[in-house]
Amino acid sequence: MSEVKNLKYYIETWGCQMNEEDSEKLSGMLKRIGYTKTEAKEEASIILFNTCCVRENAENKVYGNLGLLKKLKKNNPDLVIGICGCMMQQKGMADKILKEFPYVDIIFGTHNSYKFPEYLNRVKTEGVQVKEIFDKETEIIEGIPVDRESSIKAFVTIMYGCNNFCTYCVVPYVRGRERSRRPEEIEKEIKELVAQGYKEITLLGQNVNSYGKGLEEEIDFAKLLRRINEIEGLERVRFMTSHPKDLTEDVIMAIKECDKLCEQIHLPVQSGSDEILKKMNRHYDREKYMSLIKKIKEEIPECSITTDIIVGFPGETEENFLDTLNLCKEVGYDSAFTFIYSRRNHTPADRMENQVPDDVKHERFNRLVDVINKGVINGNKVYEGRTVEVLVEGPSKNDETKLMGRTRNGRLVNFPGDSSMIGKLVNVHINRAQPFSLLGEIVE
């Protein structure tokens, strides 16, 4: 790589936590070769967009933002523009981008992001345009530098890809098949983070419950959790995302029995209707899902349960939708990511008949959000008058005179305090529950 002086980079990320961690690695690679980060596109020597393709809205944002870069490129011909991520893995997408936005310099996908410094070097030294998309997943590359967004909490990916092929989802096509990292590599990364002062780790994977497949060592997710729980100095462990068809009693019991595992499970239901779940190819029914909820609540009463829900899947009737509403009322989720179904090219659902009209989708979406929000508010009220352990993350986003942090089960808490407490575990007495957060004060 040629010498770099006073060069800055800007990264914009769309999508899930996996994309966020990918961007932290891209940032780490750039810092290793001498670049510094900027939050202003106008200052950047390289602008990199890390894309998502799970929903149409995410793609539209990419097109809009790429269009805005045309003027910057004209004013600064040396500006390097790169685009990567899930959106680029879609068939024909890279060529479409280059045709509509010919000033893009680098395009690469999810499977070869580790080669980014090589691509950047070619653009800088040879003056060429680089487009390289690997069709299939590669072996897992370890040792990539990571520039973490937080100094308190960190993402650690334990596996890549997905084998489930839900009919609405593009993830198996853009992230590849399931591959698990070796447990010793995961433990090594976490121990290094603990040595740097990190308190909380979130384990990532499209389906963490599938962990262990393809490894020589006989290990599953529950066993991995118990091994991580033994790491000295680590305070908290979370994970996402769990697929209901693979969530085992062993995992539930590990959360119950391991002191560092937080009482929080993200368990996407997507629909409360058996008919729709079958069309989605989810491999469980309502009864199976509710039996898991019952088991979790019996074994871990303090466990917070969060979910993902899709509204307006092809063929969804009012009766199907009411099944979802009723399930949400029964579970009483602590939060939910709610989505209006978005058609995705090359997925079976895109070819299904009886696509639900947009106005019906939006009307149902609003009703769903209302039910979810009522459940969240009721769940928060339970904490009034209680004292909870909070990991202090930093200043409150709504009131800089206060601090904010989260309970073990993921509830947001705001309270008075000074910056010396950031990164520490404190006990907070909850005085009042707000709709989406708790207000309290530190107690000795």
Side-chain angles (χ1 to χ4, degrees), residues 104 153 374:
V104 170
K153 307 190 303 180
K374 286 177 180 176

Side-chain angles (χ1 to χ4, degrees), residues 12 21 53 208 308 311 315 415:
E12 190 152 348
E21 202 214 16
C53 61
V208 290
D308 297 341
V311 173
F415 50 94

Side-chain angles (χ1 to χ4, degrees), residues 352-394:
M352 289 182 181
E353 298 179 353
N354 300 321
Q355 298 285 333
V356 178
D358 285 345
D359 59 337
V360 175
K361 290 181 188 177
H362 284 87
E363 188 271 339
R364 289 177 183 168
F365 179 81
N366 292 336
R367 287 157 62 193
L368 174 65
V369 169
D370 184 57
V371 167
I372 293 293
N373 288 347
K374 286 177 180 176
V376 174
I377 292 168
N378 290 337
N380 280 347
K381 284 187 177 295
V382 172
Y383 285 81
E384 289 184 341
R386 295 172 61 174
T387 298
V388 295
E389 180 192 82
V390 174
L391 175 59
V392 186
E393 297 179 17

